[in-house]
Amino acid sequence: MTIGPLLIRTLVPADAEAQPCPPARKPWVIATAALAAATALIDLPVVTMALGGLRAEFGASFAMAQWLLLLAGLATAALILPSRRLGTLHGHWHVLGAGLLVSALGGCIAGLSPRLDLLFFGRLTQGVAAAVVLPASAALIAVNFAPGERPGAFRTWTLTSGIGAVLATLAAGAAILAFGWRAAFLLPAALSLATWALLRLRVPIDFPDLVQKPLDLAGAAILFASGGLILVAITLAGIGFGLPVVAMLAGSGLVGLCLFGFWETGPAAEPMLALSRLRSPGFGLATGAAALAEIGAAGTVFLLPIALMEGSGRSALAAALGLGCYLAGQGASGVLAGRLQRRMAPPLAAALGSGLGAAALVLLALSVLADLFWLGVLPATLLLGLTAGAASTILLAEARRHGRASTTGDMQTVAIRFAILIAIAASGTIAALAYRDLIGTLAPALSASPAGADFAAPSAEAAGFLSQRMTGVRLAFVRAATVGAFVTGIAGLGALVLSRAGPAPPAPAAPKRNRHGPRTRRPAPWQERPASPAPEATPAKPKRGARRVEPPSSEPSRRVGAEKPRSEEPPPVPPRRGARRIAPPKLHQPSGPRPPRR
């Protein structure tokens, strides 16, 4: 028996919307896609829990450790759209397998690296692999399920990937607690290899598309460079660089974004984004409000493991529980978004969700400050993921209604990913500046050295000031969470402005189809035009000397000797003389024995 990938040898038409996947293989397709998506989704929370041990071993500053997250996220955000074309060029099965192998390789390099530069290279490799794995896992479901089965398959995929992300985060916290920070990189690598084996053995190979489109690598490079300059400017502000340097870098990044817009609207052969959608004020306002809601929540969640582990002295497993509650709330936010939209207008529902998210951030800040974990931190993180996720979901749906284009989802994907990166950089900068001011008041001797004034630095100088250091970390987290609550409240105000702008224009209804083809709608009575009467034919003038022919009359002729009209039925034939009369057969035969024949 040969064990290998299942290659379907059925000829698939060029216009087929799905390949003939066997029904027994469809659950394996969903499981493989969900495991691949969960492996890419746990990157941010798992690496955040490993920053403390990583900084203690390599002596890295907080800004340098922060760039371990920013570098991988920047590569993912810049390459996630061009990597979708790879599946159409080479097949989603092959692209997903290659992405999983590259992700495992990057995790092994980062987990086994003896130097910090190799660790950065491994993180960059993981970011590129995540940009390939995330769209390929969703496309794997699209090509193996018929159009009628896809909504249920995608719902199952979303649910299972969310549950897998929560369980993987808890497992990573337990592994970090038992084996150290290197387990944060080696565990995702092991999950990637297991997913690759499942893909190899249980998922059928799909066929590439016949229409080949080039990759927009130039646009991805411009986006990567311009986003990187903006993130560098934000992080340098936390280190203490002057305003001219920060403004120059940020301005260069904005110029790069303008160059990216010029490239996408002009010279690009196959642009990644349809930037003409930004002309719609409703689309831009709704997408910006959703990005602000993500910024307020993601920045606080990034600092939560640091505040719990370095500010409260809790373990990595406790930090994993807090992050797991946030991920669980985000997974259930779609249900809350649907119920809110059924009870009120979508902009008002988004404003309510943003307000509850801001209240959850304030509750989380007070819980961390008072060191209330079970009764404060866990419920607050669950409420934050539930409400902020619902607000973001509603606002993105409203933006798609205002945009009314198939490419609005791609633009929203890039916007939300860059918003999360800006939230990580900005919250880290706010926390670093707040910690430097607070530690100067709590422990002036500790703030004299650069290592002691670094945010949550596990340095030797801070050994004698443990309580002051922990208090400074918690207070810095409170300041960052307060700014996050303010930003989330601004997102709610944006949703209210969107409600004043009016409802989204209705999408054009698709014509109903039946088995005979598209059904056309009958126009309204006031839209029907009366048919113009046909011009009457002018009788031709008879020629001189021509014989006049009378038109035939429909009445019978009354002349003598005229032939009688024939009837359509023939006359009955009289019976012959002496012929035997045959009686008609009886319909009902008498029951009982037949009398004897005489």
Side-chain angles (χ1 to χ4, degrees):
M1 179 179 178
T2 304
I3 299 177
L6 176 65
L7 177 62
I8 299 177
R9 300 185 181 277
T10 307
L11 294 178
V12 181
D15 56 347
E17 297 184 359
Q19 69 173 7
C21 179
R25 301 278 177 159
K26 291 183 178 180
W28 293 106
V29 172
I30 295 178
T32 304
L35 191 57
T39 305
L41 289 175
I42 64 173
D43 179 80
L44 173 62
V46 170
V47 177
T48 306
M49 291 186 292
L51 290 183
L54 185 149
R55 294 176 62 187
E57 181 170 340
F58 292 106
S61 63
F62 175 71
M64 192 174 295
Q66 193 178 6
W67 265 96
L68 290 174
L69 295 170
L70 295 177
L71 184 62
L74 186 60
T76 304
L79 296 176
I80 192 170
L81 293 184
S83 63
R84 292 184 180 183
R85 304 279 175 86
L86 292 176
T88 61
L89 292 174
H90 306 287
H92 302 288
W93 189 92
H94 294 90
V95 170
L96 181 59
L100 290 171
L101 290 179
V102 173
S103 177
L105 178 62
C108 292
I109 293 175
L112 302 176
S113 59
R115 302 193 310 269
L116 199 58
D117 54 351
L118 290 178
L119 183 59
F120 273 98
F121 177 74
R123 290 294 297 153
L124 180 62
T125 307
Q126 282 185 314
V128 174
V132 176
V133 168
L134 283 174
S137 61
L140 196 67
I141 296 179
V143 299
N144 284 283
F145 285 86
E149 301 172 340
R150 286 174 190 169
F154 276 113
R155 283 194 296 268
T156 307
W157 170 66
T158 305
L159 178 62
T160 51
S161 60
I163 295 175
V166 173
L167 296 178
T169 303
L170 296 177
I176 293 172
L177 181 62
F179 304 105
W181 65 270
R182 296 184 183 272
F185 303 101
L186 296 178
L187 180 63
L191 289 177
S192 299
L193 289 177
T195 309
W196 177 81
L198 193 61
L199 175 74
R200 180 82 182 174
L201 298 178
R202 295 298 178 184
V203 179
I205 299 177
D206 64 302
F207 298 89
D209 292 346
L210 298 179
V211 180
Q212 305 293 339
K213 296 182 179 180
L215 300 178
D216 190 11
L217 296 180
I222 297 173
L223 189 61
F224 182 87
S226 56
L229 287 174
I230 295 176
L231 295 177
V232 167
I234 297 175
T235 51
L236 288 182
I239 297 175
F241 277 76
L243 182 61
V245 177
V246 174
M248 183 184 64
L249 291 174
S252 302
L254 293 177
V255 171
L257 289 179
C258 295
L259 180 61
F260 172 75
F262 170 75
W263 172 263
E264 292 296 309
T265 55
E270 288 292 335
M272 296 187 295
L273 301 175
L275 297 180
S276 60
R277 296 293 100 193
L278 293 176
R279 298 175 182 175
S280 173
F283 173 78
L285 183 60
T287 305
L292 288 178
E294 289 289 339
I295 287 174
T300 308
V301 171
F302 160 67
L303 294 176
L304 180 62
I306 302 174
L308 292 177
M309 298 173 65
E310 305 295 336
S312 300
R314 299 190 179 272
S315 63
L317 185 58
L321 284 174
L323 294 174
C325 288
Y326 175 75
L327 294 176
Q330 272 199 330
S333 62
V335 180
L336 178 62
R339 293 188 177 183
L340 289 177
Q341 284 180 323
R342 286 192 293 268
R343 294 180 180 271
M344 60 186 71
L348 297 179
L352 178 60
S354 300
L356 293 176
L361 284 171
V362 174
L363 178 61
L364 180 60
L366 296 177
S367 301
V368 170
L369 183 61
D371 200 7
L372 295 175
F373 181 73
W374 297 101
L375 298 179
V377 173
L378 295 185
T381 52
L382 181 63
L383 180 62
L384 176 62
L386 193 64
T387 54
S392 178
T393 302
I394 296 171
L395 287 171
L396 291 178
E398 281 296 299
R400 285 191 291 269
R401 293 193 190 100
H402 282 274
R404 291 172 54 182
S406 59
T407 54
T408 55
D410 299 339
M411 191 178 301
Q412 290 173 350
T413 301
V414 175
I416 294 302
R417 290 204 164 268
F418 271 99
I420 293 174
L421 294 177
I422 291 175
I424 293 173
S427 60
T429 298
I430 294 171
L433 294 176
Y435 181 81
R436 187 177 304 149
D437 295 338
L438 291 168
I439 208 67
T441 305
L442 297 173
L446 186 61
S447 62
S449 62
D454 195 11
F455 176 64
S459 59
E461 293 86 355
F465 304 92
L466 184 59
S467 61
Q468 292 88 344
R469 173 177 168 272
M470 295 174 65
T471 304
V473 170
R474 290 200 303 270
L475 289 175
F477 174 81
V478 168
R479 289 192 183 182
T482 305
V483 175
F486 178 73
V487 173
T488 308
I490 293 178
L493 293 178
L496 291 178
V497 173
L498 183 65
S499 65
R500 292 296 185 92
K512 298 182 179 180
R513 301 186 63 88
N514 53 18
R515 61 180 182 176
H516 302 293
R519 183 184 304 173
T520 57
R521 180 179 293 180
R522 185 177 179 180
W526 59 83
Q527 295 176 347
E528 296 180 353
R529 294 183 178 180
S532 56
E536 297 181 359
T538 305
K541 188 176 181 180
K543 297 181 180 181
R544 183 178 299 179
R547 184 179 178 182
R548 185 177 181 182
V549 181
E550 295 290 339
S553 176
S554 59
E555 297 182 359
S557 177
R558 301 297 182 181
R559 291 180 301 174
V560 180
E563 184 179 2
K564 297 182 179 180
R566 297 181 180 180
S567 60
E568 297 181 359
E569 298 181 359
V573 180
R576 292 183 300 174
R577 184 178 296 180
R580 183 179 179 182
R581 185 178 181 183
I582 301 176
K586 298 180 179 180
L587 298 179
H588 301 283
Q589 296 292 340
S591 61
R594 186 177 181 181
R597 187 176 181 181
R598 295 182 181 179

